[in-house]
Amino acid sequence: MGDIMKKVEIGDILKYKYLENVLYNPTGSIFAYNVALADEKKNTYKRDVWAVKDGKPFQLTSTLEASVSFWENDEELIINRKAPEDEKFEGTELYSISLGGGEAKLWAKLPVSLGNIKKISEGLYVSTAQIEEKDPDAYLDSEEVRTKKKEEKKTNLESDYDVFTEVPYWGNGSGVTEGKRNALFIIKRIDKNSETGFELKRITDPDFNVYDFKLDGKKIYFTGAKASVIPDFYSDLFTLDVEDMQIESIYDRHDMGIESFEVMDGKAYVFALDYKTYGINESPYLFKVQDNELVKVEEYHPSHSRGNSVLSDVSLGGGRQNKLLNEDGKPVYYTLSTVEDHSAISRIDLESGLVQHVLDLSGSIVFFDIVKDTFALCYIAGDKLPEIYTVDKNKLGTVEINDQFHYTPPRYIEDMKQITEHNCALLEDVYVAEPRRIDYRSEGLELHGWVLLPENFDQSKKYPAVLDIHGGPRCVYGEVFFHEMQVWASKGFVVMFTNIKGSDGRGDEFADIRGNYGGIDFNNLMDFVDAVIKEYPSIDESRICETGGSYGGFMTNWIVTHTDRFCCAASQRSISNWVSMSYISDIGPYFGPDQCGIAYDDYYGKLDAKKLWDHSPLKYVDDARTPTLFLHSDEDYRCPLPEAMQMMQAMTVRGVETRMIVFHGENHELSRGGKPMHRIRRLNEITGWFEKHIS
C-alpha cells in the first residue's frame, strides 16, 4: 500500500488559473496573455494581463480587469477593460499599458462594443461591431440622444417583448439575435489627447453580416453575406481599399461556405465547402481565388481537422488557432489540427497544399502564436494543468503522421521550454490518475479509449465506475487533465472515456454518423464498456454510472431508453426529441435534419417527422428504467431547456426516479465556462447522484 496523496477536489475549480489568448508584439520580443481566476464572492472570473520578456513572465494588471486586445507598437499593449456590472456604459473601453512600467491609462472610449481590432497604420484601425439593422448608426448619437432613446424604449414598453421574423432569432451565449448584424468599422484617431477623439465609420450595409476580416497592406479583405430569413450557409469575399474606401467583390458566386481565409500580397486563399458530401460537419478544402473562381488546390486533403477539438474543462477563453507567415516569399499557414485524440500544430503551404505536422504532442495544444521562429503556446497534458511553453520551430522539423491512427505521440519534447508555473503548485502531492489506454474493436472499427484508476487500485477489490461520453459528436477526448474525471477517480470510481465513430480527428468518413444516431455509436460505447470490464474485472457491473453532455446528453437519453446496464445516469444539456430540437435550437433547422439523415437540399423542405422521431430518445421512453439526473441551463439555446423537461417529465410519470437541476443565467457552456459556483454545484449534483446510487 503506497502513501495516500491529496485528492483532486470539486472546489479546486476556484484555484485553477485559466490561461487565454497569447499574443506576440510585432517584433516577437515580448508576448502577452490573460490569466483568469474564479472570484467566489462575485461568482465570476477576474482576468489579469501578464507578459513574458526574455523568457520571464511578469504581471501587468491586478486591479484593472481586462483582456489582451492588440499591440499598438512593440512596447505598448492595448487591453480591453471589462466594465463592472454597476456601470451602465455599453461601449468599449480600451486601456494602454507600457511594458516599460507605469499604470494603465484610458486610451479609447468608444460607443460600440468592438470585436477583433487590428491596426492598419498609425492612428487607423479596423474592427467589427454589432449593430441593429433598424438603427445602424446609433453609434453616432450624442449622449443626450442615447439617453432619450433608452427612456422612450422604457416608456413604450419596448423592452417587454421581442418580435421574431428570422431564423435563428437567438444564439447560444449571445441571446436574442433578431435584427442584429456584425458590421465592419474603420476607426480613425483624430485627437491623441482624448480617449473620445476617434472617428468611427460603418462600412458595410445594415443588412449585411461580416464573418471575418484580414489585412493585406492598404486593403481589408472580409467575408460575409446579406442577412436572410433562414441560414443558407454560403458567404462571399470582398475587399475594401482604405484609401478610396471602395468595396469590391472578388468572389460573389454565393455557392460555397467560406470557413476561413488568408491573404498575402494580393492573393487570397480560402478553406471552403459545399456541404454536399458529408453535410454540416464536412471538412473544407483549400482553394485559390482567381477571377471570381475558386480553384481547388488538389494536393490538399483534409484528413485531419483544422482547429483543436480536444475537450477539457480547465480552459476558458482560448485564443489563436492559426496564423499566416511569409516564409521565403511563400504563404505558409500554421494551424492547430485534431489528430485522432490529440492536437498538433500543422504547416500548410497554401500554394502547393502540402501539409506537414511540426509539433505533435499527446494532450492538447489549446492556442498559440508565432512570430519569426518561435511558437508560444498553451498546452495541457494528462498530468498537468495549462501552462505556457515556447519552442523554436527550426528545431522541430516535420512529423509524418500515420493515417492508420494507431500511434501515441510524446507528452513533451526536449526543445519545448515551460515558461509559466501558474498551476504547478496546485498538483504538488496530489494524486492525478494516469490515462491508461484500452484498444478494442467494434462494428469493424479499430477504436481505443482510456480508464482512470483510483489511487492504490487493487484488482482484488470491487470498484464502482463512470462512463463519460463527449459532446459534438465531432469532438474528441484525449490524454489531458480533465477536472471532473479526476474528481471521480479521487472518490474511488474507475472512469472510462472513449472516442467512438462520429468523433473528430479521423477524417470525414469516420465522423459521419448522419442517420445512424443511436446505432453504431451506441454499439461502440457498449463494446467499450465490455472491453474495460474484461481488462479490469474488479469493476462492479452493478455499480456503473453514466453521463454525458450535448451529444453525450443525447446518448445518455438514448442509453437509458435502450439498456438497463447502468445503475444511474446524469443527462447534461441533452437532446431528447429531434422534432422539437430542430425547431427551437439556434442551429436546429439544419443541424437536426442533417444529423438525422435528411438530404442537404431538403433541410427546409418537407418535414420528415418520421426520421426525426425515430432518432429521438423520447420515442422509446416506455423502456426507461434507469434513475436519471437532468442538468440544464435556462439560456442554453443550442440544446434548449425543453429537451430536458420533456425527458424528465416523461420518465417521472412512468415511475422512473428522476431529478432535474436548472441553472439560471447559464448557457450551453456551463460545464466549461459557467460561473464558478454553478460549476461546483453541477459537479456536486452529479457526484452526489452517483454516490447515492452505488451505495
Side-chain angles (χ1 to χ4, degrees):
M1 179 75 69
D3 294 334
I4 301 297
M5 303 179 72
K6 291 186 289 186
K7 300 179 183 296
V8 176
E9 303 286 355
I10 292 175
D12 290 345
I13 287 171
L14 300 175
K15 302 176 183 178
Y16 296 152
K17 311 295 193 307
Y18 303 93
L19 310 184
E20 304 169 335
N21 195 28
V22 64
L23 188 67
Y24 270 111
N25 67 353
T27 61
S29 59
I30 305 170
F31 63 82
Y33 61 98
N34 302 329
V35 177
L37 180 66
D39 185 328
E40 182 177 359
K41 291 182 179 180
K42 295 182 179 179
N43 197 19
T44 186
Y45 299 93
K46 178 184 181 300
R47 283 172 169 81
D48 297 320
V49 178
W50 285 63
V52 172
K53 185 176 183 179
D54 298 326
K56 298 179 181 179
F58 55 97
Q59 191 168 353
L60 287 174
T61 65
S62 59
T63 58
L64 181 71
E65 187 175 350
S67 300
V68 173
S69 185
F70 67 96
W71 289 91
E72 173 69 355
N73 54 55
D74 248 16
E75 291 290 328
E76 186 181 5
L77 178 67
I78 306 301
I79 56 179
N80 194 332
R81 174 187 179 242
K82 179 184 177 182
E85 292 184 1
D86 57 353
E87 287 192 17
K88 297 182 179 180
F89 180 63
E90 297 176 355
T92 301
E93 283 190 349
L94 298 173
Y95 280 71
S96 168
I97 189 164
S98 171
L99 274 293
E103 295 293 323
K105 299 177 181 179
L106 184 59
W107 186 78
K109 189 169 184 176
L110 304 172
V112 290
S113 182
L114 297 179
N116 187 22
I117 313 167
K118 294 183 180 180
K119 182 177 180 179
I120 303 171
S121 59
E122 195 62 35
L124 194 63
Y125 310 87
V126 58
S127 180
T128 52
Q130 191 176 86
I131 62 169
E132 292 193 23
E133 185 174 336
K134 62 183 180 181
D135 191 12
D137 295 323
Y139 69 95
L140 296 174
D141 291 344
S142 65
E143 191 61 40
E144 182 181 356
V145 171
R146 199 171 288 119
T147 302
K148 183 179 179 182
K149 284 182 177 179
K150 287 182 180 179
E151 291 302 318
E152 288 178 348
K153 191 173 184 179
K154 291 179 182 179
T155 304
N156 295 332
L157 301 179
E158 288 288 337
S159 60
D160 282 0
Y161 55 85
D162 292 301
V163 177
F164 297 148
T165 60
E166 59 190 38
V167 174
Y169 39 76
W170 58 17
N172 187 67
S174 54
V176 173
T177 57
E178 172 83 23
K180 295 177 181 177
R181 314 298 177 216
N182 204 38
L184 190 71
F185 278 82
I186 294 293
I187 306 167
K188 185 177 181 181
R189 181 146 215 171
I190 55 178
D191 184 353
K192 291 184 177 181
N193 299 315
S194 171
E195 66 271 9
T196 59
F198 289 85
E199 180 181 84
L200 277 68
K201 181 177 177 60
R202 176 175 54 81
I203 301 300
T204 48
D205 292 337
D207 62 349
F208 187 90
N209 270 315
V210 175
Y211 301 147
D212 193 11
F213 71 90
K214 309 284 182 181
L215 285 177
D216 185 44
K218 291 297 182 71
K219 282 194 174 182
I220 300 166
Y221 287 69
F222 63 96
T223 54
K226 187 174 181 178
S228 56
V229 174
I230 58 175
D232 66 3
F233 315 113
Y234 300 134
S235 51
D236 299 308
L237 181 61
F238 305 85
T239 64
L240 170 71
D241 190 314
V242 297
E243 292 185 342
D244 61 19
M245 301 301 286
Q246 294 298 307
I247 293 177
E248 178 184 354
S249 64
I250 61 172
Y251 186 77
D252 60 4
R253 299 280 181 101
H254 205 68
D255 58 358
M256 296 284 278
I258 300 176
E259 187 180 87
S260 64
F261 73 100
E262 296 294 337
V263 184
M264 181 177 287
D265 298 331
K267 295 180 180 179
Y269 309 83
V270 302
F271 291 92
L273 64 159
D274 61 10
Y275 308 97
K276 294 181 180 178
T277 305
Y278 290 104
I280 294 301
N281 286 335
E282 184 176 338
S283 298
Y285 280 84
L286 174 62
F287 298 86
K288 300 176 185 177
V289 184
Q290 296 177 358
D291 300 324
N292 204 32
E293 297 278 357
L294 296 187
V295 180
K296 192 173 185 181
V297 180
E298 296 293 344
E299 293 301 313
Y300 176 78
H301 300 285
S303 58
H304 305 112
S305 300
R306 288 182 311 109
N308 178 12
S309 56
V310 181
L311 294 167
S312 172
D313 58 358
V314 292
S315 178
L316 278 176
R320 182 193 294 275
Q321 296 205 3
N322 51 68
K323 189 168 185 179
L324 181 70
L325 291 186
N326 185 330
E327 292 186 356
D328 299 324
K330 289 183 178 181
V332 176
Y333 181 73
Y334 286 93
T335 181
L336 292 184
S337 296
T338 301
V339 184
E340 190 174 23
D341 57 14
H342 62 278
S343 59
I345 295 180
S346 302
R347 179 187 186 274
I348 304 175
D349 185 321
L350 294 183
E351 280 293 319
S352 69
L354 176 66
V355 181
Q356 298 171 309
H357 302 281
V358 297
L359 184 58
D360 187 40
L361 300 170
S362 70
S364 176
I365 303 171
V366 188
F367 53 83
F368 74 94
D369 195 10
I370 179 173
V371 170
K372 295 182 179 177
D373 295 329
T374 305
F375 288 106
L377 57 96
C378 177
Y379 175 61
I380 308 174
D383 60 347
K384 279 191 177 182
L385 288 158
E387 298 292 353
I388 303 293
Y389 300 77
T390 59
V391 61
D392 186 337
K393 71 179 178 67
N394 296 316
K395 295 181 179 180
L396 295 174
T398 58
V399 181
E400 297 301 325
I401 290 183
N402 184 346
D403 281 339
Q404 296 303 309
F405 305 103
H406 299 307
Y407 75 103
T408 302
R411 184 169 292 175
Y412 303 99
I413 62 171
E414 183 179 353
D415 294 314
M416 194 167 74
K417 180 181 180 181
Q418 183 174 331
I419 299 298
T420 66
E421 294 186 351
H422 290 293
N423 289 303
C424 292
L426 298 178
L427 296 183
E428 288 181 1
D429 302 321
V430 174
Y431 174 70
V432 177
E434 181 86 10
R436 297 171 180 252
R437 177 167 165 159
I438 292 182
D439 295 298
Y440 65 103
R441 188 171 179 82
S442 175
E443 299 287 310
L445 296 170
E446 297 292 336
L447 303 170
H448 69 262
W450 300 265
V451 297
L452 302 180
L453 300 179
E455 186 180 8
N456 296 323
F457 180 77
D458 185 347
Q459 284 278 24
S460 68
K461 297 180 179 180
K462 282 293 185 180
Y463 290 87
V466 175
L467 171 65
D468 200 345
I469 304 171
H470 69 62
R474 195 159 182 171
C475 295
V476 296
Y477 279 145
E479 296 185 11
V480 303
F481 185 95
F482 216 107
H483 175 70
E484 67 179 35
M485 295 188 193
Q486 292 292 341
V487 165
W488 296 328
S490 77
K491 290 183 176 292
F493 290 87
V494 174
V495 184
M496 307 178 279
F497 52 105
T498 184
N499 295 321
I500 55 177
K501 181 167 171 56
S503 302
D504 204 4
R506 291 178 61 169
D508 285 346
E509 185 175 350
F510 183 83
D512 187 14
I513 55 170
R514 292 172 301 159
N516 206 356
Y517 271 54
I520 190 172
D521 48 358
F522 173 76
N523 293 335
N524 289 167
L525 287 167
M526 297 305 103
D527 290 341
F528 172 61
V529 174
D530 292 340
V532 173
I533 292 171
K534 183 178 179 181
E535 184 75 16
Y536 296 97
S538 55
I539 291 175
D540 185 343
E541 293 189 52
S542 68
R543 295 194 297 157
I544 303 178
C545 312
E546 184 277 331
T547 189
S550 196
Y551 163 77
F554 158 83
M555 186 50 67
T556 297
N557 292 344
W558 189 269
I559 284 171
V560 300
T561 55
H562 286 79
T563 181
D564 298 334
R565 75 181 298 177
F566 299 97
C567 69
C568 67
S571 177
Q572 307 173 58
R573 58 191 188 281
S574 67
I575 297 169
S576 64
N577 181 349
W578 283 105
V579 180
S580 57
M581 184 272 183
S582 296
Y583 300 105
I584 302 176
S585 168
D586 60 351
I587 62 171
Y590 52 88
F591 185 82
D594 176 74
Q595 297 299 287
C596 290
I598 295 170
Y600 170 78
D601 57 1
D602 202 28
Y603 290 166
Y604 308 137
K606 184 178 179 181
L607 173 61
D608 193 336
K610 184 179 186 305
K611 279 190 177 180
L612 296 172
W613 184 238
D614 285 347
H615 291 287
S616 299
L618 190 61
K619 176 181 178 180
Y620 311 98
V621 74
D622 287 344
D623 296 321
R625 303 287 184 273
T626 307
T628 303
L629 170 70
F630 294 92
L631 301 101
H632 225 99
S633 300
D634 63 359
E635 294 180 10
D636 186 341
Y637 303 141
R638 185 63 37 85
C639 296
L641 177 59
E643 294 304 301
M645 295 168 66
Q646 293 175 79
M647 198 71 186
M648 181 267 186
Q649 292 198 38
M651 290 178 68
T652 302
V653 299
R654 284 164 176 79
V656 182
E657 181 189 358
T658 64
R659 175 178 170 88
M660 185 162 72
I661 314 298
V662 178
F663 290 88
H664 298 303
E666 296 286 1
N667 60 49
H668 198 65
E669 300 303 310
L670 168 64
S671 65
R672 297 176 289 265
K675 296 174 182 178
M677 301 312 295
H678 290 174
R679 291 175 65 188
I680 288 174
R681 175 63 184 267
R682 164 193 168 270
L683 196 45
N684 271 320
E685 287 284 349
I686 297 172
T687 306
W689 188 256
F690 290 167
E691 291 178 331
K692 172 185 176 181
H693 288 91
I694 63 169
S695 60

